[in-house]
Amino acid sequence: MESPIEVKDNETVESLDFIRAAVAEDTAADRFGRRVQTRFPPEPNGYLHIGHVKAIAIDFGVAKDFGGVFNLRFDDTNPEKEEQEYVEGQIADLAWLGFEPANIYYASDYFDQLYDWAVELISLGKAYVDDLTADEMRAYRGTLTEPGRNSPYRDRSIEENLDLFARMKAGEFPDGARVLRAKIDMASGNLNLRDPAMYRIRHAEHQRTGDKWCIYPMYDWAHGQSDSIEGVTHSLCSLEYEDHRPLHDWYLDQLEVYHPKQIEFARLFITHTLLSKRGLIRLVNDGLVDGWDDPRMPTIVGMRRRGVPAKAILDFIERVGVSKTNSTADIALLEYYIRQELNLTAPRVMGVLEPLKVVITNYPAGQVEWLEAVNNPEDPSAGTRQLPFSRELYIDRDDFQEVPHKKFFRLAPGQEVRLRYGYFITCTDVVKDARGEIVELHCTYDPQTKGGYAPDGRKVKGTIHWLSAPHALNAEVRLYDRLFAAEDPGAYDDFREAINLDSLQIIPNAKVEPSLADAAPESVFQFERKGYFCVDSKDSRPGSLVFNQTIGLRDSWAKIQGKGG
Ligand code: ATP
Ligand code: MG
């Protein structure tokens, strides 16, 4: 029991978000025997996305704050959509984020109990086997404004229902031939209570129970009872389950079993981002992205591969907070936290995306000097490293203008600039090929300006990054733009209309400094003046490096805030 929240007075409760306030009250009133137990209940039908982090952070955080228990439970009731790969992937995602569950449970472990309870409901006259087709059932269900009609099979005898349900389980009927339904109220204003299905027939192999079952429980039938079996005290879920709460309550009341308290919170929405596994799997299956871990995906595996630190995700989620009404966070806010974290932690290096050769004509051929460079000005403990300097260098093409714009203070004919950690250089000649393309610059350097400062105190207005050409390593750099041009991709039925067709640009011939030769997969660096880049965990090899752009340096969120937004 680590520093649980103690409710001493109303003030304490008022300073809490509405979920913690409710839990604090329950604890103070000695409901649930002062226990707190939460769970995160994903379906293993895909990888986790950043929306899930909100739910996990709430479940984990509430348990931690009250000295309680946080578990992971897989809602694995839909074998056709679910895979062991996703189970393992989701466990790994949680671990990477730092949320360790006390236990890992599976709804499929309760299939026997759920079956027995279904038989109990039938025996109580509260469930029946229905032979209507799916289309007929839809027609009988009614609409929001019209009540539904009773199925002609609703009044079957208990004996007949017990017999048919046993035969459903035994595999006598094909997929979809019959369902078991709860007998509640076909005129209910809540459509979920109009005799919801409890079991459907699916002759499908389950990743954990194999071919033991050919009937599978519906989500609502499994969910509340799973919470009950585990002794969950506070069943926290997003708002779309609010309408399901009366059904969960009804099941638990009929069965007269332990009854957790369900509390709903707002789902996380982010501009230009799709947050639904069902939606994301379509992007994967339609080949619009390169798998769940494509660095443009809002999945944990995607963001991780992109170089987004877990800390930045968690800081963002904390800032978004817990609320009861849905709202949409600006993606710029997430980007702000990514930059903030990487600015503190990412080592600085030299990387040239579009190399332009520079020959220092007054520097001796064959000579190499090692110049000291600071690894991270935000973190003195990161120390320094040595950068080679030689007669042939690379600079980025956009740091040179043959006819400079008035405010262009970088390299231009006759214009002097500072090479970061190096010397002052002045461009003397522009070498072009037959087509008039610039292929090389000739410059002179001032030997007095080693380290980037002139003893005579003369100033230069521009500082640019550079590499020693013979020492530079080749690298492929992948630049990313947002995957969705549309602000609310969830509003489109066809994602192709919302997608940004230009979200990936591959630069095959970038150059990076030699210290990156052995850079570990997933490590993130700031390429000075260019942004943050992460060693790709799938495709990068020593000798053929691949970097994913995590994010640029510009802080658009600060600008938005500056505008008073
Ligand atoms: P699917 O599209 O397959 O329903 P999902 O993205 O809704 O996927 P689930 O497996 O249904 O994910 O959700 C697991 C848990 O995560 C649920 O408790 C749900 O409330 C929560 N959750 C899912 N998406 C979000 C979100 N965007 N914000 C907050 N919580 C979420
Ligand atoms: Mg869902």
Side-chain angles (χ1 to χ4, degrees):
M1 296 273 279
E2 223 181 275
S3 64
I5 292 179
E6 287 288 348
V7 188
K8 298 202 183 71
D9 45 43
N10 280 335
E11 214 175 299
T12 315
V13 174
E14 274 165 25
S15 69
L16 302 174
D17 61 62
F18 79 99
I19 293 177
R20 284 174 172 81
V23 175
E25 271 172 34
D26 288 341
T27 309
D30 210 5
R31 284 176 209 127
F32 307 114
R34 300 185 73 90
R35 260 180 351 102
V36 172
Q37 185 176 321
T38 62
R39 84 288 169 270
F40 172 60
E43 190 183 351
N45 61 342
Y47 284 82
L48 299 181
H49 53 67
I50 187 168
H52 291 115
V53 184
K54 175 171 181 182
I56 302 165
I58 292 172
D59 284 312
F60 182 89
V62 166
K64 180 163 177 268
D65 288 353
F66 290 89
V69 174
F70 163 74
N71 296 321
L72 171 63
R73 180 182 69 246
F74 288 104
D75 247 314
D76 56 346
T77 53
N78 203 355
E80 291 157 307
K81 299 238 166 83
E82 297 160 5
E83 286 171 30
Q84 186 59 26
E85 177 197 337
Y86 298 141
V87 168
E88 283 159 23
Q90 294 189 8
I91 291 173
D93 288 344
L94 245 68
W96 182 73
L97 289 162
F99 296 115
E100 209 196 320
N103 303 284
I104 299 178
Y105 295 132
Y106 298 83
S108 56
D109 285 344
Y110 314 138
F111 281 173
D112 284 302
Q113 174 69 77
L114 290 169
Y115 180 82
D116 291 347
W117 273 335
V119 169
E120 189 179 328
L121 278 203
I122 296 171
S123 305
L124 291 167
K126 298 202 164 146
Y128 61 98
V129 173
D130 198 344
D131 302 357
L132 291 182
T133 65
D135 284 342
E136 286 167 335
M137 224 177 280
R138 213 167 296 125
Y140 273 78
R141 188 177 295 127
T143 64
L144 281 172
T145 49
E146 278 169 53
R149 282 174 296 139
N150 287 350
S151 162
Y153 303 98
R154 198 174 197 258
D155 294 318
R156 276 181 159 146
S157 70
I158 290 173
E159 289 65 37
E160 188 183 3
N161 282 317
L162 287 172
D163 173 61
L164 284 172
F165 188 49
R167 289 164 60 195
M168 277 170 65
K169 181 189 182 219
E172 285 188 29
F173 312 118
D175 285 5
R178 294 189 155 93
V179 295
L180 182 72
R181 298 177 76 175
K183 195 189 273 191
I184 308 181
D185 178 8
M186 287 306 292
S188 173
N190 183 338
L191 269 69
N192 293 311
L193 296 180
R194 293 186 187 173
D195 291 9
M198 295 165 59
Y199 275 92
R200 62 209 191 284
I201 302 172
R202 286 283 179 281
H203 292 266
E205 171 119 354
H206 187 284
Q207 68 273 14
R208 298 188 79 244
T209 59
D211 56 10
K212 175 172 178 194
W213 296 90
C214 63
I215 56 171
Y216 289 96
M218 300 300 290
Y219 170 85
D220 283 314
W221 173 247
H223 191 81
Q225 283 84 277
S226 297
D227 282 345
S228 174
I229 290 167
E230 290 168 7
V232 168
T233 58
H234 296 85
S235 173
L236 311 176
C237 55
S238 45
L239 276 180
E240 73 267 29
Y241 296 106
E242 198 170 13
D243 287 351
H244 296 242
R245 176 161 25 100
L247 177 55
H248 299 164
D249 288 344
W250 189 88
Y251 285 140
L252 295 170
D253 288 345
Q254 307 311 309
L255 297 169
E256 297 182 332
V257 293
Y258 165 78
H259 204 138
K261 179 189 254 184
Q262 177 171 320
I263 305 175
E264 303 87 12
F265 53 84
R267 234 175 133 90
L268 176 68
F269 297 90
I270 304 177
T271 55
H272 301 284
T273 308
L274 185 67
L275 294 180
S276 151
K277 277 192 267 92
R278 270 170 285 190
L280 294 174
I281 200 168
R282 281 172 54 195
L283 296 178
V284 174
N285 290 344
D286 292 358
L288 295 169
V289 293
D290 177 25
W292 286 96
D293 64 352
D294 185 302
R296 293 165 292 181
M297 291 280 270
T299 50
I300 304 308
V301 279
M303 296 176 84
R304 178 176 176 178
R305 189 169 168 203
R306 175 105 175 230
V308 174
K311 171 95 168 32
I313 299 175
L314 301 178
D315 288 349
F316 165 74
I317 292 295
E318 190 181 325
R319 166 75 180 271
V320 167
V322 181
S323 70
K324 256 191 258 203
T325 34
N326 282 330
S327 63
T328 304
D330 194 319
I331 184 120
L333 181 63
L334 172 61
E335 292 170 348
Y336 164 84
Y337 283 105
I338 297 171
R339 283 195 189 91
Q340 170 155 298
E341 179 62 15
L342 291 178
N343 180 44
L344 296 176
T345 56
R348 275 55 169 172
V349 295
M350 300 287 191
V352 169
L353 300 189
E354 260 197 283
L356 175 60
K357 176 79 74 70
V358 169
V359 180
I360 310 292
T361 49
N362 61 339
Y363 195 85
Q367 180 174 313
V368 177
E369 276 175 278
W370 292 84
L371 305 173
E372 186 168 56
V374 174
N375 286 335
N376 186 347
E378 300 291 331
D379 176 11
S381 75
T384 60
R385 69 190 184 288
Q386 304 295 311
L387 278 176
F389 185 88
S390 66
R391 181 181 161 91
E392 297 206 348
L393 310 175
Y394 290 122
I395 65 166
D396 245 306
R397 204 163 265 274
D398 62 5
D399 281 332
F400 176 77
Q401 284 185 1
E402 192 174 12
V403 183
H405 180 274
K406 211 165 66 210
K407 294 235 168 100
F408 187 79
F409 300 121
R410 291 170 263 167
L411 201 59
Q415 194 157 297
E416 188 170 48
V417 292
R418 174 190 291 113
L419 296 177
R420 182 130 164 97
Y421 301 121
Y423 292 97
F424 287 8
I425 61 168
T426 306
C427 177
T428 53
D429 277 299
V430 180
V431 182
K432 296 183 181 173
D433 65 12
R435 285 175 302 152
E437 289 270 336
I438 299 173
V439 289
E440 199 171 285
L441 302 176
H442 289 175
C443 295
T444 55
Y445 86 116
D446 177 353
Q448 300 295 311
T449 57
K450 186 168 177 174
Y453 297 94
D456 63 4
R458 99 179 167 276
K459 300 267 187 282
V460 286
K461 278 197 173 155
T463 300
I464 63 174
H465 59 281
W466 55 277
L467 288 166
S468 165
H471 298 89
L473 308 174
N474 280 321
E476 175 181 314
V477 173
R478 299 169 182 172
L479 301 179
Y480 300 103
D481 197 354
R482 53 178 56 126
L483 188 54
F484 287 103
E487 189 164 308
D488 180 11
Y492 290 74
D493 285 332
D494 183 358
F495 298 140
R496 284 166 201 273
E497 290 171 21
I499 218 150
N500 169 12
L501 292 171
D502 248 348
S503 57
L504 168 63
Q505 187 195 341
I506 295 179
I507 299 185
N509 296 314
K511 304 278 181 185
V512 297
E513 66 172 66
S515 72
L516 291 174
D518 302 316
E522 293 194 357
S523 46
V524 187
F525 299 88
Q526 185 192 103
F527 289 8
E528 297 224 14
R529 303 180 56 241
K530 285 286 157 188
Y532 296 98
F533 295 84
C534 175
V535 181
D536 188 72
S537 51
K538 265 197 180 157
D539 302 333
S540 192
R541 305 272 176 280
S544 68
L545 294 164
V546 178
F547 288 91
N548 296 313
Q549 177 194 41
T550 311
I551 196 163
L553 291 175
R554 208 187 67 254
D555 184 349
S556 48
W557 179 247
K559 263 203 233 146
I560 291 167
Q561 282 179 320
K563 273 190 266 165

